[in-house]
Structure formats: structure tokens, C-alpha cells
């Protein structure tokens, strides 16, 4: 589809270089459809302060239309009407609305809001006024509180005349230099781009398999009691004294073997269950998200290599904890295997597990869980001794029966012995299996709750730290404004220009790859790395300066400068890629076309409450795209004649209504 200079293109997604992106779950920009005018105004003011004047205009105008109107409301409405816009961009209807609003000033209650509103209108009216007549308004502007004065200077940046800006530029530059790194910018910006951590999880206990063993136990135990009673009865008939002694020895040996063999059996049972689970777990890992599993393993490798006890080198510690690390990585990959969960959201837990492993090594408990079920050698010896004694006692019982019984009784005793051995072993196996499963389930349930509680505490601590560290939208916008202001100042100094020499200017802010990006729900994307592209328009032509900025510390990167005449800019075109974003193409008569990626696509990052078209408009306005496009489009269409068209003397003057 081609509509004028805008082209829609269904190109494939092209977001190479994005390292991470996150949407903070905040409702600061959302209002209920039935919200009061006061609430809509409050959200509008927040939009204005956070660099989204287009939405601020809508919200504040809506509040005024529903009867909420005073000097404060009108002041912010005027700022939203003029913010990031030049005077010639205002439509006839908008100028009429501003003139009507200027006639309402006298009806408002006296105070600083009314004074600030009046000065804003007077500044707007001075576009066609001789510079010598600006002194009175300038003094009144300086007399305002810093809050009101700074708001006017910031939002009327493209409206103020060159002479007036020259008078205020030095103090404005000093103010932004002081605010540029305020509130711990360098130590806090990283938190804005940190993804929202996903909640804590732990591996739940495996379902118990004790039911089958418990169901078979009564039958096997009953059979053992019957055949053992028959065998003992035959021995009792033959030699009562020996039979009683053999019975007591058998009971003692059996109880000893059961007592000391039970933990040994449990150790074997836990190992068997773990070995049985491992192949299934290994098979499930690719289903847990292939690439995600690999990212989890890399994250564990990274955090275990930086959370190292003092007596280990990173490589030694990785070798020492290889088994634990692999087990934890498999657990996390299985717990967080949803396709839309990225490892960035789980890094807090991986980091905690690495720190926990280091701390447990330091207090000597790193391998406690691995060795806690190991049976002591003495217990194993007593168990084996009890079984050997039980076997010898069984042989003694057979000899007792055989010594005084006939062939029939002897045969019956042999059959009873065989039945007792088989049923006894089966009953013991069922009993041990049932008890082992009960113990395993109880232990795993306890461990699950303990681990979950520990991870919940770690999650709350990290979340609280992240929320306390993360800059607000106002802070991010303030720092960004400071960077832009000082960038403009640097360009003016380089070209030895004053504001009187400029016809107009505009800054286009685009992401510089690779970058991280984040935003508050309903707000614009903010980037960890920017490319600022400044267009300075003078009588002689256009000076274009672009420079990369690291937003964390405002360090500058690559810089490019170019100058061209008005007639050298032949066309400007914007291409919208549905899955990639917006590209601005500048075509010069004396060079190849230049394509500038204005913004990347964000449809897949929208929440159900957000309107894609509205969010796209917010991001384009925040990037300075609308103002830059109109400026460049006008120059491409009219050449130097565009200068004459936007001269204040050729524009309809703004007169404050009586």
C-alpha cells in the first residue's frame, strides 16, 4: 500500500542487536473510561512531564471538556499544545483554540499558575515582535518559580524566538549540566531495562507410589504369618525348649535386620528413583525450549564463575560444582519452560542459587543433601549380621523338626520354610517400599516448602531492590532532555552559531544497536543506547550531526557530520514494516539514499489493554519523528522557499484575546 510518502511493507522482523526488552507492569498511564475529569487531567500532566505531549493534549482537553478548568489546567493544556511543535505546525483551528483560551486568563483566580499562563501566551505572541520588546516578558519569565519557568522553556523550545533563547541559553545549559547525572543516574539506569522477574518456583514432590505396595502387604504378611506359625508349631511339637529359643533368636535377628536395613533400603530406593527420573528429565529438556535450556545452562555457568569461594579459582569451582550445577540447570529449565519466558526473567533465581551454593560451601553444607541419606557402615554390618543370624536360625529350626519328626512332617517343614522365606521376603519388600515412599514424600514435601520459602524471600528482596532502584519515567525523561540540550549546545559551539542564526532545528532520536529497551505499560520505549540526529536549519542550508549515546553514563560514540543545501534534499519517505518498525529514507541529489531506522516493531510486546496504533504514535512522537518528518518534508517539497513560508512575518500572528 502506498499513501503519499508513507509506504506499508510486510517485511520480516528485523530486530538483530536487541539484547533485552521489558514492559513494566504499571498503570500510571491508564484511566478508567468513567474516570473523573480530575483523574484524566492528572494522567495528562504525567504524559506531558514524561515526554508524550500528544497523549497529554487528548487527556487534558477531555478533562476541560467535562468542566475541569482553572489556571493550572489551562497552563498544562497550553504546554501540551505547543510541546515538540513549531508555530507553523499549528492548524488554524488550534490557533483559534489558543486565542480563545488566552481570553479566559482574566477569569481565573490570581496566583502563580495564572501568571505562568499569561507569560506563556505573551511568549507566543512575541513571534512577530521586535527583539527589543522582549525584555519585559523575559524579566517576568525569570521571576517565575523554577518549576514553571523550566516547564515553559522546555515545552516551548520550538516556539521561542532565537533572540529570546540566546538570552536564556547560558543559564539553561548550566541547569541541565547540574541535572544530567542527578539522582544517581549512572547507578540506577540499568534497573529500568532489567526485565520484570518471574515469580519463584520449586520442583514439587513426585507423586507417591506406595499404594500398590500397601495393597499387597496384608496378603503377603498374612501368608508369612500362617506358614511361619506352621513351621514353628512343628518345631514346638518336636522340641519345645529349642523351638522357644529359636523363635526368640529369629525375632531378635529379624527386628535387628529390619531396623538397620530400613535406612539402607531407603538409600537404595532414593537412588533408584533418581536414576529412573534422570532419563525422563533429559528427554524433557529439549521440550523445555531447546534454546531456553541452553541459555539457562550458560547463565548458570556465568553466575557460578563469578560467585566463587575465596579458596577456589573460577575453573576449579566450576569443576567442583559440575553435578550440582547441572542438576539445578535441569530443574530451572523444567520449571520455567513456557515458550514466552526468557532467561533474563529467571536470572535473579539463577544468581541466587549460585550465591546459595557458594554460601553453603563456606559453612560446610554444600553436599549435605547428597550425603544425608547415606547409611553408616555399622548399620549395614548389623543389618547383614541380623540376616545371617536369621538364616542360621531357620536352618536350626529345620534341624529341630527333622530330628524328631517323620518324613511327612519333615517335608511339610521344608515346604513351610520355603513359603516363609518367599512370603517373608515379599512382605518385607512391600513394607519397606511403602515406608520408603511415605518417608520420601514427606521429605520432598518439606524440602519443597523450604526451597520455595527461600526462593520467595530472595524474589521479594530482589523485587524490592529493583523497584527502589528503577528510575521513574520523569527521571528518565529529564536525563534524556539534558542529553539532548547539551548535544545541541555542543553542535552550536562547533559551528559557532547562536540561536539568532537558526531558522529552526529538530532532533530525531533512534535506537543504536545493540541496545536494551524498556517502557512502562502505555508509555514510550526508552533505550539503553541512542543515536541523536540533529538538523540545524540556517539561511545557508542544513547542518546534520549524528552521534551515539550510551544512556547509562552519557558517553558518546560514533559521530557523523554533513552539510547540504536546501535543494539537495530531493525527497523524504517513511516506510512502515508491520513486523520490523519504521524507516525514514532521505534522498539527496548528490548522494545515495539514506535509510534511518526510527523504531523497531513492538506489536508482540503489547498488552491486551494497549492499542497498537496509539502506542506507535506515542513512540514516534517521543522519538521526535513527527516534527522532524514535517520539517524535512517541507524542505524537500519547497527548497529554500520553505524558509519564506515559515517566517513569523508570513505566518498568521497570534494575538492575545482581550
Amino acid at each position: 500500500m502506498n499513501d503519499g510518502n508513507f509506504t506499508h511493507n510486510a517485511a520480516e522482523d528485523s530486530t538483530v542487536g536487541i539484547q533485552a526488552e521489558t514492559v513494566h507492569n504499571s498503570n500510571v498511564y491508564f484511566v478508567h473510561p468513567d474516570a473523573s475529569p480530575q483523574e484524566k487531567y492528572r494522567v495528562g500532566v504525567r504524559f506531558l512531564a514524561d515526554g508524550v505531549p500528544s497523549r497529554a493534549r487528548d487527556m487534558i482537553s477531555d478533562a476541560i471538556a467535562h468542566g475541569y478548568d482553572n489556571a493550572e489546567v489551562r497552563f498544562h493544556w497550553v504546554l501540551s499544545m505547543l510541546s515538540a511543535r513549531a508555530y507553523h505546525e499549528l492548524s488554524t483551528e488550534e490557533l483559534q483554540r489558543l486565542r480563545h483560551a488566552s481570553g479566559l486568563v482574566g477569569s481565573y483566580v490570581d496566583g502563580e499558575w495564572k501568571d505562568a499562563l499569561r507569560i506563556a501566551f505573551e511568549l507566543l505572541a512575541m513571534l512577530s515582535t521586535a527583539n527589543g520588546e522582549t525584555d519585559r516578558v523575559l524579566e517576568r519569565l525569570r521571576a517565575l518559580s523554577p518549576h514553571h519557568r523550566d516547564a515553559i522553556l522546555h515545552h516551548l523550545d520550538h516556539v521561542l524566538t532565537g533572540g529570546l533563547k540566546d538570552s536564556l541559553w547560558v543559564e539553561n545549559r548550566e541547569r541541565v549540566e547540574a541535572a544530567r547525572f542527578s539522582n544517581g543516574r549512572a547507578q540506577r539506569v540499568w534497573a529500568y531495562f532489567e526485565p520484570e522477574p518471574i515469580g519463584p518456583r520449586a520442583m514439587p514432590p513426585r507423586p507417591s507410589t506406595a499404594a500398590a505396595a500397601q495393597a499387597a502387604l496384608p496378603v503377603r504378611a498374612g501368608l508369612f504369618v500362617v506358614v511361619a506359625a506352621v513351621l514353628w508349631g512343628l518345631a514346638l511339637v518336636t522340641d519345645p525348649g529349642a523351638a522357644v529359643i529359636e523363635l526368640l533368636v529369629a525375632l531378635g535377628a529379624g527386628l535387628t535386620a529390619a531396623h538397620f536395613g530400613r535406612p539402607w533400603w531407603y538409600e537404595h530406593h532414593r537412588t533408584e528413583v533418581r536414576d529412573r527420573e534422570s532419563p525422563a528429565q533429559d528427554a524433557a529438556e529439549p521440550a523445555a525450549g531447546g534454546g531456553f535450556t541452553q541459555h539457562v545452562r550458560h547463565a548458570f555457568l556465568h553466575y557460578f564463575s563469578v560467585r566463587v569461594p575465596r579458596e577456589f579459582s573460577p575453573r576449579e569451582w566450576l569443576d567442583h560444582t559440575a553435578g550440582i550445577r547441572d542438576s539445578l540447570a535441569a530443574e530451572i529449565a523444567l520449571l520455567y519452560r513456557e515458550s514466552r519466558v526468557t532467561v533474563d526473567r529467571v536470572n535473579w533465581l539463577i544468581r541466587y542459587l549460585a550465591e546459595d551454593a557458594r554460601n553453603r560451601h563456606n559453612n560446610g553444607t554444600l553436599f549435605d543433601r547428597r550425603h544425608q541419606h547415606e547409611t553408616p557402615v555399622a548399620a549395614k554390618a548389623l543389618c547383614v549380621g541380623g540376616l545371617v543370624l536369621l538364616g542360621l536360625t531357620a536352618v536350626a529350626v529345620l534341624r529341630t523338626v527333622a530330628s524328631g519328626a517323620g518324613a511327612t512332617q519333615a517335608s511339610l517343614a521344608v515346604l513351610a520354610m520355603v513359603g516363609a522365606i518367599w512370603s517373608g521376603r515379599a512382605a518385607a519388600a512391600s513394607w519397606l517400599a511403602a515406608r520408603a515412599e511415605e518417608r520420601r514424600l514427606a521429605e520432598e514435601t518439606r524440602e519443597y516448602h523450604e526451597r520455595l520459602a527461600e526462593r520467595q524471600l530472595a524474589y521479594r528482596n530482589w523485587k524490592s531492590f529493583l523497584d527502589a532502584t528503577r528510575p521513574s519515567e520523569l527521571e528518565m525523561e529529564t536525563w534524556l532532555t539534558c542529553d539532548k540540550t547539551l548535544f545541541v549546545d555542543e553542535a552550536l559551539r562547533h559551528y559557532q552559531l547562536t540561536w539568532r542564526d537558526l531558522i529552526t532545528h529538530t532532533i530525531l532520536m533512534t535506537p543504536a544497536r545493540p541496545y536494551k529497551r524498556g517502557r512502562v505499560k502505555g508509555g514510550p520505549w526508552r533505550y539503553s543506547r541512542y543515536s541523536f540526529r540533529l538538523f540545524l536549519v540556517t539561511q545557508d542550508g542544513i547542518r546534520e550531526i549524528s552521534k551515539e549515546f550510551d544512556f547509562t553514563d552519557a558517553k558518546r560514540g560514533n559521530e557523523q557530520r554533513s552539510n547540504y543545501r536546501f535543494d539537495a534534499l530531493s525527497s523524504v519517505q517513511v516506510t512502515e514494516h508491520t513486523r520490523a518498525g519504521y524507516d525514514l529514507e532521505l534522498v539527496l541529489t548528490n548522494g545515495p539514499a539514506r535509510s534511518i531506522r526510527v523504531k523497531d516493531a513492538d506489536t508482540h510486546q503489547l498488552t491486551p489493554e494497549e492499542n497498537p496504533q496509539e502506542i506507535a504514535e506515542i513512540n514516534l512522537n517521543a522519538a521526535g519523528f513527527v516534527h522532524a518528518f514535517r520539517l524535512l518534508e517541507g524542505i524537500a517539497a519547497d527548497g529554500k522557499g520553505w524558509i519564506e513560508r515559515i517566517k513569523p512575518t508570513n505566518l498568521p500572528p497570534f494575538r492575545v484575546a482581550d
Side-chain angles (χ1 to χ4, degrees):
M1 183 183 74
N2 195 339
D3 183 12
N5 287 329
F6 285 82
T7 303
H8 182 80
N9 190 321
E12 291 300 312
D13 193 3
S14 177
T15 55
V16 178
I18 300 178
Q19 293 175 306
E21 52 187 7
T22 185
V23 179
H24 303 301
N25 189 23
S26 171
N27 292 320
V28 295
Y29 292 139
F30 283 86
V31 292
H32 193 273
D34 298 328
S36 66
Q38 291 87 341
E39 178 64 17
K40 293 178 180 178
Y41 164 71
R42 185 192 64 79
V43 175
V45 171
R46 181 180 288 274
F47 268 121
L48 181 63
D50 295 346
V52 192
S54 59
R55 290 290 294 142
R57 284 194 291 274
D58 296 338
M59 301 299 294
I60 299 175
S61 296
D62 192 300
I64 293 174
H66 287 83
Y68 189 55
D69 190 9
N70 55 46
E72 178 184 349
V73 174
R74 281 291 175 178
F75 175 73
H76 287 110
W77 177 78
V78 170
L79 296 186
S80 68
M81 291 290 289
L82 302 176
S83 183
R85 307 172 81 187
Y87 183 79
H88 65 269
E89 295 179 31
L90 298 172
S91 66
T92 302
E93 179 188 354
E94 288 172 329
L95 287 173
Q96 290 175 347
R97 292 174 63 191
L98 285 166
R99 188 172 187 277
H100 171 73
S102 70
L104 301 175
V105 176
S107 64
Y108 297 134
V109 177
D110 291 340
E112 194 165 5
W113 288 111
K114 182 176 179 179
D115 293 339
L117 177 60
R118 180 177 282 117
I119 291 173
F121 280 124
E122 290 179 358
L123 289 170
L124 190 59
M126 290 175 59
L127 286 173
S128 56
T129 302
N131 287 335
E133 300 178 19
T134 65
D135 292 343
R136 180 181 57 85
V137 178
L138 184 58
E139 290 304 316
R140 294 185 59 196
L141 176 63
R142 285 195 170 109
L144 289 175
S145 68
H147 173 74
H148 294 98
R149 182 180 66 250
D150 294 344
I152 291 174
L153 292 176
H154 172 57
H155 293 291
L156 273 63
D157 179 56
H158 293 290
V159 174
L160 297 178
T161 61
L164 183 59
K165 291 188 74 171
D166 274 338
S167 303
L168 298 167
W169 188 245
V170 173
E171 56 193 80
N172 186 43
R173 185 181 66 233
E174 292 174 351
R175 179 183 62 82
V176 300
E177 284 178 342
R180 190 181 194 185
F181 294 104
S182 60
N183 299 329
R185 170 182 176 173
Q187 293 76 39
R188 297 175 57 213
V189 165
W190 66 269
Y192 188 88
F193 304 105
E194 188 74 13
E196 288 291 330
I198 195 168
R201 302 176 189 176
M203 194 66 74
R206 288 158 290 201
S208 174
T209 59
Q214 290 174 335
L217 180 59
V219 175
R220 294 175 176 179
L223 179 60
F224 172 74
V225 169
V226 170
V227 294
V230 170
L231 180 62
W232 184 71
L234 292 174
L236 189 62
V237 170
T238 304
D239 188 345
V244 170
I245 294 174
E246 290 163 353
L247 175 62
L248 294 176
V249 172
L251 287 175
L255 291 175
T256 299
H259 177 73
F260 291 102
R262 183 177 172 183
W264 193 2
W265 176 283
Y266 182 65
E267 176 189 348
H268 172 73
H269 177 73
R270 286 289 297 242
T271 303
E272 189 178 57
V273 170
R274 185 173 61 248
D275 293 342
R276 190 168 59 244
E277 292 278 332
S278 294
Q281 192 176 72
D282 293 339
E285 281 191 31
F292 173 73
T293 301
Q294 193 66 19
H295 291 155
V296 168
R297 291 189 178 279
H298 286 161
F300 269 99
L301 197 65
H302 167 71
Y303 285 114
F304 266 77
S305 65
V306 295
R307 267 62 174 181
V308 181
R310 292 182 179 179
E311 63 270 25
F312 283 89
S313 68
R315 173 49 56 190
E316 291 172 341
W317 179 243
L318 290 176
D319 292 340
H320 188 64
T321 58
I324 292 176
R325 194 175 65 253
D326 289 344
S327 176
L328 290 173
E331 177 188 355
I332 298 305
L334 286 173
L335 286 173
Y336 296 93
R337 58 188 172 190
E338 298 94 332
S339 59
R340 293 189 65 82
V341 173
T342 63
V343 72
D344 297 318
R345 299 187 62 196
V346 193
N347 275 340
W348 71 270
L349 178 55
I350 299 174
R351 182 171 54 249
Y352 161 74
L353 293 173
E355 293 172 352
D356 180 62
R358 180 193 60 192
N359 295 339
R360 286 194 288 119
H361 166 79
N362 290 338
N363 59 33
T365 61
L366 178 59
F367 296 104
D368 278 4
R369 290 174 180 171
R370 177 182 296 181
H371 301 303
Q372 64 179 342
H373 299 301
E374 289 186 356
T375 307
V377 175
K380 293 180 179 180
L382 288 171
C383 175
V384 172
L387 291 175
V388 170
L389 182 59
L390 186 62
L392 294 175
T393 305
V395 172
V397 170
L398 280 178
R399 290 181 61 184
T400 299
V401 173
S403 64
T408 302
Q409 290 178 324
S411 300
L412 182 60
V414 171
L415 291 175
M417 178 60 69
V418 172
I421 293 173
W422 178 86
S423 61
R425 182 180 180 281
S430 296
W431 176 75
L432 288 171
R435 299 292 81 78
E437 271 297 281
E438 290 175 357
R439 180 180 172 185
R440 180 197 61 78
L441 182 61
E443 285 188 356
E444 288 189 0
T445 300
R446 187 188 73 254
E447 290 173 358
Y448 166 74
H449 289 296
E450 288 176 353
R451 290 179 179 177
L452 187 60
E454 292 169 356
R455 295 176 185 184
Q456 285 173 336
L457 178 60
Y459 171 79
R460 288 194 297 269
N461 291 339
W462 173 247
K463 189 74 166 57
S464 299
F465 174 72
L466 202 58
D467 292 342
T469 306
R470 182 183 297 121
S472 66
E473 290 297 294
L474 179 58
E475 287 175 316
M476 295 290 286
E477 181 64 23
T478 299
W479 295 329
L480 186 60
T481 300
C482 291
D483 288 342
K484 291 191 294 182
T485 302
L486 293 176
F487 178 50
V488 172
D489 181 71
E490 181 183 300
L492 292 175
R493 293 186 183 208
H494 174 80
Y495 289 112
Q496 297 182 353
L497 296 172
T498 68
W499 284 105
R500 297 173 190 270
D501 300 321
L502 297 184
I503 297 170
T504 188
H505 76 289
T506 188
I507 294 182
L508 181 63
M509 298 180 298
T510 59
R513 299 172 181 274
Y515 62 80
K516 298 179 182 179
R517 68 177 181 175
R519 67 182 179 91
V520 169
K521 189 168 62 175
W525 284 113
R526 302 189 185 277
Y527 301 91
S528 62
R529 297 182 70 247
Y530 280 97
S531 178
F532 289 172
R533 194 176 299 269
L534 172 64
F535 298 90
L536 299 176
V537 183
T538 68
Q539 290 286 346
D540 300 325
I542 303 172
R543 290 176 171 85
E544 179 186 341
I545 311 99
S546 65
K547 182 172 288 189
E548 293 183 357
F549 280 79
D550 188 318
F551 190 70
T552 301
D553 52 16
K555 287 184 178 178
R556 292 141 184 231
N558 299 328
E559 179 176 317
Q560 292 181 338
R561 295 191 183 96
S562 58
N563 304 313
Y564 41 89
R565 303 183 312 276
F566 291 105
D567 57 2
L569 184 60
S570 61
S571 69
V572 180
Q573 180 171 292
V574 176
T575 304
E576 178 189 2
H577 305 278
T578 54
R579 295 181 59 195
Y582 285 82
D583 288 337
L584 175 67
E585 187 176 70
L586 302 181
V587 181
L588 301 178
T589 57
N590 58 349
R594 285 185 295 153
S595 182
I596 304 170
R597 171 58 56 86
V598 178
K599 64 177 289 292
D600 285 314
D602 50 24
T603 304
H604 65 291
Q605 283 284 353
L606 298 182
T607 62
E609 302 91 344
E610 294 178 311
N611 181 292
Q613 191 63 35
E614 188 176 278
I615 295 299
E617 178 187 342
I618 286 173
N619 282 295
L620 290 175
N621 275 279
F625 166 79
V626 176
H627 181 63
F629 177 74
R630 288 174 178 170
L631 170 64
L632 298 172
E633 183 185 41
I635 294 175
D638 298 339
K640 199 163 186 177
W642 174 83
I643 298 178
E644 295 298 321
R645 185 164 59 84
I646 70 160
K647 276 186 176 180
T649 54
N650 294 332
L651 293 172
F654 181 84
R655 292 185 175 86
V656 178
D658 297 330

